[in-house]
Amino acid sequence: MTTLTHRGRRAEAGRNLDKKPDSEKDAPADRDLNDDDPGDFKDIHLTLMEEVLLLGLKDKEGYTSFWNDCISSGLRGGILIELALRGRIHLEPLSIRKKRLLERKVLLKSDAPTGDVLLDETLRHIKATESAETVQTWIELLTGETWNPFKLQYQLRNVRERIAKALVEKGILTTEKQNFLLFDMTTHPVSNATEKQRLVKKLQESMLERWVNDPHRMERRTLALLVLAHSSDVLENVFASLADDKYNVAMNRTKDLLDMDPEVEAAKARGAEMIWAVLAAFNKS
């Protein structure tokens, strides 16, 4: 698992966070009509996976750190949370036999298309499985980390590149070719710094000015993004531009949040069980 205390990359990440956002207006996203908390879904036009990748990208270079081996599984966790927040999947109900989050299976709630290629591909996989799988198993299957050759079909391929292309289509990234001595690589530098700044500012404020000291009072998408940024080892990029005192406060509050018992918090959380289940899966890995 990642650590919340490494600060070696602060200077590098901080160079990309100088501009202030001049707009925080987004387009609406798909939402579950049965959800009674529309505040979590208003003004959204990026998926959780797109936000995580955007946080992990080096702005000018256009690629994630070569040393980051967590982001692939983090993005798959984001897909599961996004589908749950959109009302497409949910965890099986609590029972006497299966009480723990990581024992409960992921069930299909609706196979209605979301309009996002990765989300819809994952929906088809979940629908096609003969027996339901747990959150942890689905993260492994979607990442391709399985020894069962019959389940390799569930692997999502080229996820980072596909998410980057979606961000290019939305005008947030651009596409370039870079030469790395022995090979050429397609990169996606940030072309819309305002959008990334809006995202960074939102997370910084959630841990500072708008800190509520209770995850159940946080917007679920904000809570989910903090969990995924931590699991994908990109959380350092969020707080790197802060002054030392604020950096320490934000990191300590985030650590306290992520150190909470997912089992206990999920029992309190209406509609956010999948977020805590994903955190539990990464805590165990």
Side-chain angles (χ1 to χ4, degrees):
M1 281 301 297
T2 59
T3 176
L4 293 174
T5 58
H6 53 275
R7 302 186 59 176
R9 298 192 299 273
R10 288 202 64 192
E12 176 186 357
R15 286 194 293 270
N16 298 320
L17 301 173
D18 295 324
K19 296 182 181 179
K20 297 293 183 181
D22 55 20
S23 171
E24 296 189 7
K25 190 178 283 188
D26 303 323
D30 188 9
R31 57 176 286 248
D32 180 9
L33 296 179
N34 295 321
D35 193 292
D36 64 356
D37 189 6
D40 283 356
F41 290 87
K42 64 183 179 181
D43 298 337
I44 300 165
H45 76 277
L46 295 184
T47 65
L48 289 168
M49 307 87 72
E50 290 167 349
E51 290 178 332
V52 169
L53 183 64
L54 188 57
L55 290 174
L57 282 176
K58 300 174 184 289
D59 287 14
K60 294 182 180 179
E61 292 87 346
Y63 52 83
T64 57
S65 170
F66 293 125
W67 308 108
N68 188 336
D69 58 355
C70 303
I71 195 168
S72 292
S73 53
L75 291 172
R76 272 68 172 188
I79 290 173
L80 295 179
I81 295 176
E82 186 74 51
L83 285 172
L85 291 179
R86 295 187 183 212
R88 300 311 197 273
I89 61 175
H90 64 105
L91 292 181
E92 66 179 332
L94 282 168
S95 67
I96 296 176
R97 188 169 62 89
K98 292 182 179 179
K99 290 186 176 182
R100 299 189 63 80
L101 286 171
L102 296 185
E103 295 175 351
R104 294 161 63 187
K105 303 298 180 68
V106 175
L107 303 180
L108 186 68
K109 186 175 181 181
S110 168
D111 62 355
T114 66
D116 181 274
V117 176
L118 285 172
L119 295 179
D120 290 342
E121 184 176 340
T122 304
L123 268 183
R124 290 193 294 272
H125 287 329
I126 293 174
K127 184 179 180 180
T129 52
E130 294 183 4
S131 58
E133 303 286 0
T134 64
V135 167
Q136 187 168 18
T137 299
W138 267 118
I139 291 174
E140 293 169 354
L141 291 176
L142 296 174
T143 310
E145 296 177 354
T146 176
W147 294 103
N148 187 337
F150 297 104
K151 293 194 174 183
L152 286 173
Q153 60 182 311
Y154 298 126
Q155 180 182 4
L156 296 178
R157 301 183 183 277
N158 304 316
V159 167
R160 267 182 265 193
E161 182 63 22
R162 291 159 75 181
I163 295 174
K165 286 183 178 180
L167 288 169
V168 170
E169 292 175 0
K170 293 178 179 180
I172 297 172
L173 303 181
T174 187
T175 302
E176 293 181 358
K177 287 279 187 182
Q178 287 197 30
N179 180 268
F180 290 88
L181 296 179
L182 299 178
F183 62 94
D184 289 333
M185 186 174 80
T186 301
T187 61
H188 299 283
V190 175
S191 58
N192 182 350
T194 299
E195 182 63 25
K196 185 168 183 176
Q197 290 300 321
R198 180 200 65 79
L199 184 59
V200 170
K201 181 181 178 182
K202 169 187 171 183
L203 291 181
Q204 288 180 351
E205 289 183 345
S206 70
M207 291 292 106
L208 296 171
E209 291 88 349
R210 295 190 289 110
W211 174 242
V212 293
N213 199 30
D214 180 359
H216 307 293
R217 293 171 56 200
M218 295 179 69
E219 287 186 357
R220 278 176 289 172
R221 294 190 71 89
T222 300
L223 174 63
L225 189 52
L226 287 167
V227 167
L228 294 169
H230 166 60
S231 303
S232 303
D233 198 13
V234 300
L235 192 58
E236 172 76 16
N237 299 356
V238 174
F239 301 129
S241 64
L242 294 172
D244 284 351
D245 56 340
K246 290 187 176 182
Y247 175 91
N248 290 330
V249 169
M251 277 300 204
N252 287 334
R253 286 175 175 173
T254 306
K255 184 178 185 301
D256 290 342
L257 176 69
L258 297 173
D259 281 346
M260 291 180 173
D261 186 342
E263 301 289 346
V264 174
E265 301 309 318
K268 305 175 187 175
R270 180 185 178 277
E273 285 184 313
M274 190 66 71
I275 299 173
W276 294 106
V278 167
L279 178 60
F282 283 113
N283 284 347
K284 187 177 180 180
S285 62

